[in-house]
Amino acid sequence: MIEDKNQARTSISELGEFKLIKHLTQNFKIQQKSTVIGIGDDAAVLDLKDKKALVTTDLLIEGVHFDLSYMPLKHLGYKAVMVNLSDVYAMNGTATQITVSIAVSNRFPLEAVEELYEGIHLACSSYNIDLVGGDTTSSVTGLVISITAIGDINQEDIVCRNGAKPNDLLVVSGDLGAAYLGLQVLEREKKVFEVNPNSQPDLSIYSYLVERQLKPEARKDIVKLLKDLKVKPTSMIDISDGLSSEILHICTESKVGCDLYEEKIPLDPQVISTCEEFELNSTTIALSGGEDYELLFTVAQEDFPKIKANPHLTVIGHMTDASMGANLVTRAGQKIGLTAQGWNSLKN
Ligand code: ADP
Ligand code: MG
């Protein structure tokens, strides 16, 4: 599909590595005070003053993590940055810089790599992030992208996975399950397209789902909101693999149990209607769907008044003694043990 979309096709080898890097990165402006030296030298130089550094990396492989037949390259670039920023925000930190490393085969013209960098550029300018380095190399067939995000945080603001206590409230931002359903919709359309290339899919009734899959936003706003509300979570994690798996991480690391209430799980109306259409259980999708990039955290009971009326936050349960285990309390009042099914296992 890339081949179809790009009229102009400039071979990357025509430019050579140095001109390519210069070409791709020329529009990126330095915005952070902490960036002393960015792209162009052997290493970037950052000045963190008295703050702690946060460093996190993700590796994305074509055919494993993304499929270019329905993932436009601009969206891929944007999402690759979001996935990393989300990890910085999940520590309660401020994301400040990224490095981007790519391996591209000669299957990709310059115009394709430009599109990828348009998405990276949009993410950087919207979230105030400096691109300060990376690496560029060739691959035999597919596209590989590795992004490292750097952030800073005051020691006293750091929130880990291991601080939850029994009786703390379990809270999630936004709503769950939409990104996974967006992927199901796109995969179905891909199959239809393979049979009938002239088909014009009408995805408007799935717009929210597709957007959540193709253009997720890291919840920088929630970190700020919590700061404004003067709430410091006792533990926090971002939801990349599904609610169930992330809850279990917090429970294991914090040595606590949990009661999660099925009726409290926040779902968008499009998630509910599409689950009906696809004959899927919306609770299963929220628990195991993944790629929502919402923040899941615990707060002390005394902070409840500060968060209860907030439309971005939902209390979905509370932590218990470790001996009670991690459970889903169903609408019928039944307790079922939570199991870690990431979206990969759901897919198989
Ligand atoms: P070196 O040979 O020392 O690794 P490079 O020639 O690979 O240096 O890179 C030159 C500069 O360009 C460095 O600052 C590097 O971080 C940056 N850079 C290289 N590839 C990329 C990329 N894909 N995106 C952003 N910056 C890059
Ligand atoms: Mg290099």
Side-chain angles (χ1 to χ4, degrees):
M1 265 178 116
I2 309 152
E3 278 77 10
D4 298 337
K5 263 190 291 176
N6 288 286
Q7 306 294 72
R9 280 182 60 89
T10 313
S11 160
I12 289 178
S13 55
E14 267 173 45
L15 276 142
E17 187 190 331
F18 301 119
K19 275 196 184 149
L20 173 66
I21 296 169
K22 186 137 203 194
H23 178 76
L24 292 175
T25 60
Q26 63 192 358
N27 292 328
F28 287 75
K29 299 264 169 318
I30 297 295
Q31 314 182 61
Q32 294 283 345
K33 280 198 292 279
S34 57
T35 307
V36 181
I37 297 176
I39 290 169
D41 217 307
D42 294 311
V45 178
L46 309 180
D47 181 358
L48 297 183
K49 299 269 185 322
D50 49 1
K51 296 205 173 182
K52 304 294 177 211
L54 297 167
V55 181
T56 173
T57 290
D58 269 286
L59 180 62
L60 300 173
I61 314 272
E62 184 180 356
V64 179
H65 302 103
F66 57 90
D67 181 336
L68 290 175
S69 55
Y70 49 71
M71 184 64 144
L73 280 155
K74 185 172 172 182
H75 287 82
L76 178 63
Y78 191 88
K79 183 169 175 175
V81 178
M82 287 309 129
V83 169
N84 279 277
L85 300 188
S86 180
D87 283 320
V88 173
Y89 301 138
M91 298 300 292
N92 202 31
T94 306
T96 47
Q97 288 89 8
I98 55 167
T99 64
V100 175
S101 298
I102 52 170
V104 241
S105 74
N106 55 15
R107 193 180 117 224
F108 295 87
L110 173 67
E111 288 75 12
V113 189
E114 278 175 349
E115 241 183 82
L116 178 76
Y117 268 74
E118 265 175 48
I120 295 172
H121 188 263
L122 181 61
C124 285
S125 48
S126 316
Y127 283 73
N128 255 294
I129 306 293
D130 293 346
L131 174 65
V132 295
D135 202 14
T136 309
T137 185
S138 55
S139 83
V140 181
T141 50
L143 174 66
V144 177
I145 308 167
S146 175
I147 297 191
T148 296
I150 297 160
D152 60 38
I153 190 164
N154 291 315
Q155 171 78 46
E156 63 272 21
D157 293 332
I158 299 173
V159 176
C160 301
R161 297 176 177 185
N162 66 4
K165 298 278 178 287
N167 299 319
D168 281 357
L169 300 174
L170 182 65
V171 187
V172 71
S173 65
D175 53 69
L176 300 173
Y180 176 80
L181 287 179
L183 183 63
Q184 300 313 302
V185 168
L186 290 167
E187 285 191 339
R188 185 178 70 176
E189 291 313 320
K190 181 187 173 183
K191 290 202 184 89
V192 172
F193 183 82
E194 279 164 1
V195 176
N196 175 12
N198 294 320
S199 67
Q200 287 289 332
D202 178 15
L203 296 181
S204 58
I205 64 162
Y206 310 112
S207 56
Y208 180 65
L209 312 179
V210 170
E211 183 174 316
R212 292 281 283 176
Q213 170 59 221
L214 295 183
K215 197 172 178 289
E217 301 290 346
R219 299 308 305 258
K220 177 184 183 178
D221 58 327
I222 299 296
V223 174
K224 179 175 185 298
L225 174 69
L226 291 171
K227 223 154 258 165
D228 292 346
L229 294 172
K230 297 193 166 53
V231 173
K232 185 189 172 191
T234 52
S235 70
M236 186 149 62
I237 191 168
D238 70 322
I239 302 186
S240 49
D241 296 334
L243 179 62
S244 185
S245 141
E246 316 303 357
I247 289 178
L248 288 167
H249 281 306
I250 288 186
C251 287
T252 307
E253 295 300 315
S254 300
K255 301 189 175 63
V256 292
C258 166
D259 280 348
L260 163 69
Y261 291 87
E262 180 180 23
E263 63 186 357
K264 305 283 188 196
I265 297 173
L267 302 172
D268 186 85
Q270 274 188 21
V271 167
I272 296 168
S273 59
T274 308
C275 276
E276 279 169 15
E277 185 196 336
F278 283 55
E279 294 182 348
L280 293 166
N281 179 305
S282 57
T283 302
T284 309
I285 298 307
L287 288 175
S288 305
E291 294 202 286
D292 289 314
Y293 299 106
E294 294 296 340
L295 291 174
L296 175 73
F297 54 94
T298 53
V299 300
Q301 289 266 357
E302 66 202 44
D303 284 331
F304 180 61
K306 299 186 206 163
I307 58 166
K308 69 172 179 191
N310 200 288
H312 302 286
L313 305 176
T314 310
V315 177
I316 54 174
H318 60 265
M319 311 321 277
T320 59
D321 197 79
S323 63
M324 307 295 284
N327 302 292
L328 174 74
V329 182
T330 67
R331 287 192 183 84
Q334 215 187 352
K335 272 196 187 187
I336 305 173
L338 285 176
T339 50
Q341 299 169 317
W343 66 278
N344 280 316
S345 66
L346 194 74
K347 224 177 156 189
N348 293 337

Short mmCIF file of all heavy atoms in Angstrom, two decimals, residues 17-18 21 42 101 134-137, ligand 2:
data_model
loop_
_atom_site.label_atom_id
_atom_site.label_comp_id
_atom_site.label_asym_id
_atom_site.label_seq_id
_atom_site.Cartn_x
_atom_site.Cartn_y
_atom_site.Cartn_z
N GLU A 17 23.54 8.37 4.01
CA GLU A 17 23.10 8.40 5.40
C GLU A 17 23.11 9.81 6.01
O GLU A 17 22.15 10.23 6.64
CB GLU A 17 23.99 7.46 6.23
CG GLU A 17 23.51 7.30 7.66
CD GLU A 17 24.51 6.56 8.54
OE1 GLU A 17 25.26 5.73 8.02
OE2 GLU A 17 24.52 6.84 9.75
N PHE A 18 24.19 10.57 5.79
CA PHE A 18 24.30 11.86 6.48
C PHE A 18 23.28 12.86 5.98
O PHE A 18 22.65 13.57 6.76
CB PHE A 18 25.73 12.40 6.38
CG PHE A 18 26.72 11.45 6.99
CD1 PHE A 18 27.73 10.89 6.24
CD2 PHE A 18 26.59 11.08 8.33
CE1 PHE A 18 28.62 9.99 6.82
CE2 PHE A 18 27.46 10.18 8.91
CZ PHE A 18 28.48 9.63 8.15
N ILE A 21 19.79 11.91 7.38
CA ILE A 21 19.56 12.33 8.77
C ILE A 21 19.28 13.83 8.83
O ILE A 21 18.33 14.28 9.46
CB ILE A 21 20.78 11.98 9.66
CG1 ILE A 21 20.96 10.45 9.71
CG2 ILE A 21 20.62 12.53 11.07
CD1 ILE A 21 22.28 10.00 10.33
N ASP A 42 28.62 13.54 18.68
CA ASP A 42 28.68 12.10 18.96
C ASP A 42 27.65 11.67 19.99
O ASP A 42 27.22 10.52 20.01
CB ASP A 42 30.09 11.71 19.42
CG ASP A 42 31.09 11.91 18.28
OD1 ASP A 42 30.79 11.44 17.17
OD2 ASP A 42 32.13 12.55 18.49
N SER A 101 15.77 5.57 16.56
CA SER A 101 16.63 4.75 15.70
C SER A 101 15.77 3.96 14.74
O SER A 101 14.75 3.39 15.13
CB SER A 101 17.47 3.81 16.56
OG SER A 101 18.30 4.58 17.39
N GLY A 134 19.80 9.61 17.57
CA GLY A 134 19.27 8.36 17.06
C GLY A 134 20.31 7.63 16.25
O GLY A 134 21.50 7.95 16.33
N ASP A 135 19.85 6.68 15.48
CA ASP A 135 20.76 5.97 14.59
C ASP A 135 19.96 5.56 13.36
O ASP A 135 18.74 5.38 13.43
CB ASP A 135 21.35 4.75 15.30
CG ASP A 135 22.66 4.32 14.65
OD1 ASP A 135 23.22 5.09 13.84
OD2 ASP A 135 23.11 3.20 14.94
N THR A 136 20.63 5.47 12.23
CA THR A 136 19.98 5.13 10.97
C THR A 136 20.77 4.03 10.30
O THR A 136 21.98 4.15 10.11
CB THR A 136 19.97 6.36 10.04
OG1 THR A 136 19.44 7.47 10.77
CG2 THR A 136 19.12 6.12 8.81
N THR A 137 20.07 2.96 9.96
CA THR A 137 20.77 1.86 9.30
C THR A 137 19.81 1.15 8.34
O THR A 137 18.63 1.50 8.27
CB THR A 137 21.36 0.91 10.37
OG1 THR A 137 22.15 -0.08 9.71
CG2 THR A 137 20.29 0.22 11.18
MG MG B 2 25.20 6.19 14.37
#
